[in-house]
Structures are given as structure tokens and as C-alpha cells.
Amino acid sequence: MMMVFNPIFWNVVARFEYKTRFLSRAFRSPRVACVFLAVIIFHLMLLRSRRFQLALQSQPRFSDCFWISPILDWLGPSLVAVGVFLALSCFWVLGFYGTFLGDYFGILMKSKVTSFPFTVTSHPMYYGSFLEYVGMALWYRCPAGLLLSTVLLGTYLVAISFEEPFTIEIYRQKNAKKST
């Protein structure tokens, strides 16, 4: 449930904020409102990660085949490291407000970011998170974790289908205003 809930929650709240400015009005500042939503998103992420860890610990595991164990011992942590690197480098490039949906609050960057890690993938935070979860599932040798990771990826792909056109449109509008 947490795998699906988090991205749906932040997309629904952010879209509602964009259309109504309900959080910005309540906090009398779009920046404070964005921080408020970021704190909620961060706590939901911690809760999801903990629930995922508990699921990994409580579910059946792959048997330790003599030839696959060394591969999983290397592959799992490597995927986690790559995922964390993508997510952290994304945070570094976007900054706090860019990472936590500031564009829905009217807090825009100078232009749409196209530098690393966006040169590797157009959605490094989502794919990095997915790699972290797959890596943990492999590290724990948990088939249920792989299934949950796949559900998470599917949810992220749906979120991308909503977020990407929005981001393209707001920066198109910003550039159109700048050129007039």
C-alpha cells in the first residue's frame, strides 16, 4: 500500500496546490508551504522504507545457491549505491525546492535542468529510488521485495505520466513570458 500511496499522495496534493494555492494561503508563503509538504513527503518516505524493510525481513527468501550468492552479495549493494547516487545527485542539482515539488508552488528554477543526472535518465530520483528498492530486495534475497519494487516502478511511471507534461508546460509558459 505504501508503495502506491506516496507518489499518488504527493501528486494529488501538489496538483491541488497548483490549482488552488491552498497550502500557500494557509501558510502565507509558497516556500513555507513547500517545506511543509516536503516534511510530510520525507516522513512518508521513511515510513515506506521501514515497511519495505519489515516486508523483506518477514518474507521467504531465495535459497542460497552456491553460484548465485556471490552475485547477489555484489549486485544488491551495488544497485543500492547507484540508486542512492542518482537520488542524491538529483537533489544536489535540483536543490530543496526543485526536489520537493516547488514548481507546483510557483517556485521555478531558472530553466528546466538538463545536466547530470538528467543526462543519464529524465527521472533520476524515481529510477534511483527504484534501484535502491530492487537492490535491497536482492540483498535480502526476497522475491516479495522484487514484486514490491516492480509495483513501485509502475506507480512511478504513472506519476511520471502526470508530472512530465506539467513540468514541460510550466517551463514553456515561463519561457514564453520571458520572451515577451
Side-chain angles (χ1 to χ4, degrees):
M1 178 72 168
M2 291 300 296
M3 299 307 236
V4 175
F5 176 77
N6 291 4
I8 291 172
F9 170 79
W10 72 62
N11 270 287
V12 168
V13 172
R15 283 291 172 114
F16 193 63
E17 166 62 19
Y18 180 74
K19 291 180 180 190
T20 67
R21 300 291 184 223
F22 81 104
L23 286 173
S24 294
R25 283 196 316 269
F27 287 99
R28 298 183 182 178
S29 164
R31 291 187 181 277
V32 173
C34 187
V35 169
F36 174 76
L37 182 59
V39 168
I40 292 172
I41 290 170
F42 185 76
H43 282 90
L44 287 172
M45 182 267 312
L46 290 176
L47 180 60
R48 178 181 66 189
S49 294
R50 178 63 179 144
R51 300 287 301 163
F52 184 73
Q53 181 187 29
L54 292 172
L56 293 178
Q57 292 171 346
S58 67
Q59 296 298 311
R61 299 175 183 217
F62 298 125
S63 61
D64 276 340
C65 299
F66 69 93
W67 63 272
I68 200 153
S69 280
I71 295 169
L72 295 180
D73 287 340
W74 175 85
L75 185 59
S78 297
L79 289 175
V80 170
V82 169
V84 167
F85 179 72
L86 281 173
L88 289 177
S89 60
C90 185
F91 185 85
W92 178 263
V93 170
L94 292 176
F96 181 85
Y97 294 108
T99 300
F100 288 106
L101 305 167
D103 45 1
Y104 289 84
F105 292 82
I107 307 166
L108 300 177
M109 304 191 72
K110 290 179 182 175
S111 63
K112 189 173 179 220
V113 177
T114 56
S115 62
F116 182 83
F118 293 89
T119 55
V120 176
T121 173
S122 55
H123 304 285
M125 189 72 76
Y126 284 149
Y127 292 125
S129 174
F130 168 69
L131 290 175
E132 291 174 47
Y133 280 88
V134 168
M136 288 299 294
L138 291 174
W139 204 347
Y140 276 81
R141 293 164 172 71
C142 182
L146 291 174
L147 178 64
L148 288 172
S149 299
T150 304
V151 169
L152 179 64
L153 177 61
T155 306
Y156 282 162
L157 292 173
V158 170
I160 288 167
S161 73
F162 287 99
E163 291 176 14
E164 192 166 40
F166 172 81
T167 303
I168 290 168
E169 178 59 21
I170 61 167
Y171 282 98
R172 186 197 63 73
Q173 289 175 8
K174 180 182 180 186
N175 291 335
K177 284 180 185 176
K178 192 182 344 179
S179 63
T180 56

